[in-house]
Amino acid sequence: MATTIALDALPARVGSEVAVSDWFEVGQERIATFAEATDDRQWIHLDPERCKRESPFGQPVAHGFLTLSLLPAMLTSALAIEGMRMGVNYGLNKVRFPSPLPAGSRVRGRWTLRGADAVAGGWQFTWDVTIEADGAVKPVCVAEFLIRCYA
């Protein structure tokens, strides 16, 4: 269930965790579809038998960029911003993949508001996002994600 907050109230939340997304399944089919869409068909993502023999992970793992590409869906599931006419992905300042994401895992994003800067017609929000896998000790992705929201 998404947290609802007014656009003009969001800047007051700088420094706090604002929302947590729903869980998203990252199964082998999603990984294979991403591999086809991006032409990244490396065996560590697609070949379970070879992974058992040769990979330090023992099984296929999701592409880091697949995990990263879930950010917009995670934000939408986590946060409803009232009074926002339009939102756009403005980019990333930092991204790291501290731990592999095994195929079949569930992930969710934790959204902490790092900064809020007024821009013409709205706000630019900088989010610290931690993507965690269900049951994992370390996050699978940490990112500083910029979104522009227009009133």
Side-chain angles (χ1 to χ4, degrees):
M1 177 105 175
T3 298
T4 301
I5 191 164
L7 178 60
D8 59 354
L10 199 48
R13 302 289 301 272
V14 169
S16 64
E17 183 176 273
V18 175
V20 177
S21 79
D22 293 337
W23 288 101
F24 289 79
E25 180 81 25
V26 182
Q28 189 61 55
E29 184 176 342
R30 182 177 281 209
I31 293 168
T33 300
F34 188 84
E36 287 304 309
T38 60
D39 288 331
D40 181 354
R41 297 179 189 92
Q42 186 177 178
W43 63 268
I44 66 168
H45 307 301
L46 301 172
D47 189 337
E49 291 307 313
R50 188 170 177 189
C51 286
K52 285 179 191 173
R53 291 189 317 268
E54 299 179 39
S55 169
F57 313 124
Q59 69 183 84
V61 295
H63 306 72
F65 285 128
L66 167 55
T67 306
L68 189 64
S69 75
L70 294 172
L71 286 177
M74 287 182 180
L75 182 58
T76 299
S77 82
L79 186 63
I81 302 174
E82 292 179 337
M84 181 180 78
R85 174 177 47 91
M86 177 181 76
V88 295
N89 171 352
Y90 194 68
L92 298 149
N93 288 335
K94 298 177 187 175
V95 179
R96 296 291 182 268
F97 304 105
S99 183
L101 178 61
S105 298
R106 293 186 329 149
V107 292
R108 70 178 175 186
R110 303 187 80 82
W111 296 82
T112 300
L113 188 58
R114 173 184 280 264
D117 299 297
V119 296
W123 291 91
Q124 179 171 297
F125 296 111
T126 303
W127 294 95
D128 286 331
V129 187
T130 300
I131 300 177
E132 56 191 16
D134 195 10
V137 175
K138 291 172 55 175
V140 296
C141 179
V142 290
E144 190 174 299
F145 188 35
L146 288 77
I147 303 289
R148 286 204 172 174
C149 298
Y150 296 96

